[in-house]
Amino acid sequence: MQPRRSLRRRSVAPCALALGALHAAGAPASQQPLWEFGLGIGAVVFNDYRGATGVHGYPLPVPYFIYRGDILRADRDGLHGRLLNQRYVEFDLSANATAPVFSRNSAPRSGMPNLASTLEFGPSLQWHLWRAGDGRLRLDLRTPVRNAVTLASPPRSIGWVFAPNLSLDYRATGRAAGWNLGLLGGPLYAQRRYHDYFYSVAPQYATQSRPEYQAPGGYAGSQLLLAVSKRYPDYWIGAYLRHDWLQGALFIDSPLVQQRSYWSGGIAIVWMISASASMVDSDD
């Protein structure tokens, strides 16, 4: 749980997605392998769901794959189609995921059904708003729209999520050369079905301390993501911190919301396993 590149559970997805969500602006084009592959390990600390006080830390595997094709590209941020004018706007695919929540381990959900993991996937347009002259500093507007599906049997759609955000990326120079820094933030919006999945309390699960509640759709608070990474010849390292604000979210009165502001984060290291002998021009 992410530049030319899209943003990007108590399982592996949130850390892998978030660690890949940000990295620095492109530099002037240079020769890079057509594709690179690596595997690594990481650790993530995060809440059961947005607004929960239950916090867990887990180790996780981290895959690393980059493909620098002329039309299709894949990198730490996801899959990118270069079908539009690259100078101003780019078409991406956006993904996100949430963790399974076991009600026996979650005091506010005690006695309620468990929550299955969800996978969010959909299109995103990335608008290139500004670039510094040397290409090391860039500002983008991303507009991902994702459909969320439960990873259960059978899977079912629980609605759409819209997560527009501004992304500021910087590739350091001088003594810090090679380090990529990123800052990304924006509001979240979701349909009623999505909020219902996490925050509603059906009549049969209402108690004296957990009254019945029906979550509405709409504004869901905001997020700020800070990330840092560096690629060495034989390995890559990255870390992120994410802050969630739920103040003003339309489901804020749900008895399942226990806090309105909190941090989560993760770290990973990936070792390069193989790379293409073919080289292409790239500003990665």
Side-chain angles (χ1 to χ4, degrees):
M1 321 272 318
Q2 267 194 287
R4 197 189 51 245
R5 309 164 164 176
S6 67
L7 176 62
R8 294 265 129 335
R9 5 193 215 185
R10 191 173 316 173
S11 58
V12 303
C15 183
L17 293 170
L19 285 172
L22 292 170
H23 52 90
S30 61
Q31 287 285 298
Q32 302 284 348
L34 175 63
W35 57 263
E36 296 178 272
F37 171 71
L39 287 175
I41 57 173
V44 61
V45 176
F46 57 94
N47 298 65
D48 286 344
Y49 53 89
R50 296 183 68 239
T53 54
V55 178
H56 297 84
Y58 291 88
L60 72 161
V62 180
Y64 180 107
F65 179 72
I66 289 182
Y67 177 74
R68 302 179 176 96
D70 291 334
I71 302 298
L72 188 66
R73 294 202 167 202
D75 57 32
R76 294 181 295 274
D77 296 321
L79 187 66
H80 314 286
R82 308 183 71 184
L83 305 178
L84 301 176
N85 188 338
Q86 299 175 51
R87 184 175 180 183
Y88 301 108
V89 64
E90 188 170 351
F91 174 80
D92 293 340
L93 296 176
S94 175
N96 194 20
T98 67
V101 178
F102 301 100
S103 297
R104 66 179 181 273
N105 299 326
S106 174
R109 296 191 57 87
S110 179
M112 296 182 66
N114 297 331
L115 296 178
S117 299
T118 69
L119 178 64
E120 302 171 18
F121 191 78
S124 174
L125 285 180
Q126 180 170 315
W127 306 85
H128 305 315
L129 301 182
W130 177 78
R131 296 289 185 272
D134 61 2
R136 295 186 179 276
L137 185 64
R138 58 192 289 172
L139 179 67
D140 294 326
L141 171 64
R142 304 174 182 183
T143 56
V145 179
R146 301 185 295 262
N147 183 245
V149 178
T150 60
L151 300 181
S153 183
R156 65 184 178 93
S157 172
I158 58 172
W160 290 85
V161 177
F162 178 49
N165 58 80
L166 284 173
S167 171
L168 181 65
D169 298 296
Y170 174 66
R171 176 166 292 183
T173 59
R175 293 186 177 183
W179 285 99
N180 302 325
L181 309 175
L183 176 66
L184 182 152
L188 299 174
Y189 302 88
Q191 288 186 303
R192 183 193 63 80
R193 286 188 297 145
Y194 184 89
H195 291 166
D196 179 73
Y197 184 73
F198 292 99
Y199 302 109
S200 288
V201 178
Q204 63 269 34
Y205 302 117
T207 66
Q208 185 174 359
S209 60
R210 187 179 62 205
E212 178 184 352
Y213 180 79
Q214 176 63 62
Y219 180 63
S222 59
Q223 290 182 334
L224 177 69
L225 184 67
L226 302 92
V228 59
S229 67
K230 184 173 183 178
R231 169 67 193 275
Y232 291 89
D234 298 322
Y235 63 96
W236 173 92
I237 59 173
Y240 79 96
L241 280 175
R242 191 185 76 190
H243 192 66
D244 277 73
W245 287 278
L246 273 67
Q247 185 65 41
L250 296 182
F251 54 77
I252 197 66
D253 293 327
S254 169
L256 302 178
V257 175
Q258 299 174 289
Q259 58 180 341
R260 303 184 179 193
S261 178
Y262 61 92
W263 289 91
S264 58
I267 188 169
I269 181 169
V270 174
W271 288 271
M272 298 297 106
I273 295 176
S274 184
S276 168
S278 299
M279 307 294 285
V280 296
D281 288 333
S282 175
D283 58 3
D284 290 344

